[in-house]
Amino acid sequence: MSDTALHTPVPPHPAATLILLRNGPEGLELLAIERHAGLRFAPGATVFPGGRLEAADHDPSWREHWPGARAPADLPHRVAAVRECVEECGVLLSRDPPEASELAGLRAAMAAGEGFGPALARAGMVPAPERMAPLARWVTPETLPRRFDTLFFLAPAPSGQEPLCDGGEAVGALWATPRRLLEEEKAGRRRLVYATRMTLLRLAGCADMAAALACAKHGAMAGEELPPPILPRLVETAAGPVWRIPAACGFLPLETSAEHVRLG
């Protein structure tokens, strides 16, 4: 094998994440899940519901659920994020609030192999991808063997639904402020991967749900292309190696010591 082949980055898998928001007693709260300790990627980490795009997420029929004349370029990512949220924690971003029994039936059908679209149609449920706003697009560093190109979305949490984890990929769910999750990581009680921690740092300055949604990028809702990728790069500095992100990406700090970064 040539040196070029050895250093060729693995293509990242398209993926999507949904960060559900609500206003709590201490301000903005996010729905987070804890990943199973036996998983290959980010075992035991606290993350947001999400996962890879599937072929069915690109089906043209999803455009029927978009209220405007022109669906955005990121519609497949929105579908994937909504689907993964149902699979992992049983919460559906929908236009009409479903009954708990209906949600349970939807998850059971999907677990049995029925596609997300057909299962929704049979249950008479309509997803609400238009309520989602893209916050950022994070790409796993090129040095890793497992890589993802992930769109992070924000959306108000649907009322009347309580998260219930599938026990497979997700083993626990909680509502918490960004500051609480960051403090628990600092105390050694929680594991956060780099993109999750950077997202929490950005949202920690938001007093409530409206402020968080104001941080989101609305370009894709107008049918534009996907947001620019944020690709961390390992850079040697006088103080030691750091992971650096683009200056205009909207996230801080731009440099983080490599010893404090967990990538997976």
Side-chain angles (χ1 to χ4, degrees):
M1 182 181 292
S2 67
D3 289 342
T4 301
L6 285 171
H7 296 288
T8 300
V10 175
H13 298 285
T17 287
L18 179 56
I19 306 173
L20 294 175
L21 314 172
R22 74 179 186 185
N23 293 324
E26 298 180 5
L28 177 68
E29 293 184 345
L30 320 173
L31 178 60
I33 60 174
E34 182 178 338
R35 288 173 60 82
H36 193 285
L39 295 173
R40 291 175 60 192
F41 181 77
T46 297
V47 299
F48 307 113
R52 295 188 190 190
L53 269 68
E54 298 179 352
D57 300 329
H58 296 270
D59 193 298
S61 64
W62 289 112
R63 297 172 189 165
E64 300 172 5
H65 298 297
W66 190 258
R70 183 182 178 187
D74 62 13
L75 182 58
H77 293 78
R78 295 172 187 247
V79 172
V82 173
R83 171 178 52 76
E84 288 285 342
C85 195
V86 173
E87 291 177 354
E88 293 180 344
C89 60
V91 177
L92 173 65
L93 189 63
S94 59
R95 294 184 189 161
D96 298 311
E99 298 290 337
S101 59
E102 295 175 325
L103 271 176
L106 176 66
R107 293 182 85 186
M110 294 168 64
E114 187 173 4
F116 185 40
L120 281 174
R122 185 171 52 78
M125 300 179 186
V126 180
E130 73 280 1
R131 297 180 185 173
M132 303 163 65
L135 176 68
R137 178 184 172 192
W138 284 90
V139 180
T140 309
E142 295 177 339
T143 53
L144 270 65
R146 291 172 60 83
R147 303 182 63 220
F148 300 91
D149 183 344
T150 308
L151 261 64
F152 282 63
F153 293 95
L154 303 180
S159 61
Q161 298 186 44
E162 293 297 328
L164 179 63
C165 288
D166 60 8
E169 290 189 31
V171 295
L174 76 157
W175 286 99
T177 66
R179 292 186 184 278
R180 172 189 162 187
L181 296 175
L182 290 166
E183 289 169 357
E184 290 180 353
E185 184 211 24
K186 187 176 181 180
R189 300 196 301 272
R190 196 168 294 283
R191 300 179 65 183
L192 300 175
V193 295
Y194 182 53
T196 302
R197 174 154 34 111
M198 294 298 288
T199 300
L200 291 171
L201 285 170
R202 183 167 184 185
L203 296 177
C206 298
D208 53 23
M209 185 167 59
L213 289 170
C215 290
K217 303 178 187 297
H218 295 281
M221 296 185 71
E224 299 177 5
E225 294 302 314
L226 302 182
I230 302 174
L231 175 61
R233 297 189 183 278
L234 189 61
V235 179
E236 290 292 340
T237 70
V242 301
W243 285 101
R244 180 181 293 166
I245 57 177
C249 68
F251 289 78
L252 292 171
L254 298 180
E255 294 185 353
T256 305
S257 173
E259 66 177 326
H260 297 141
V261 171
R262 183 186 301 277
L263 297 172

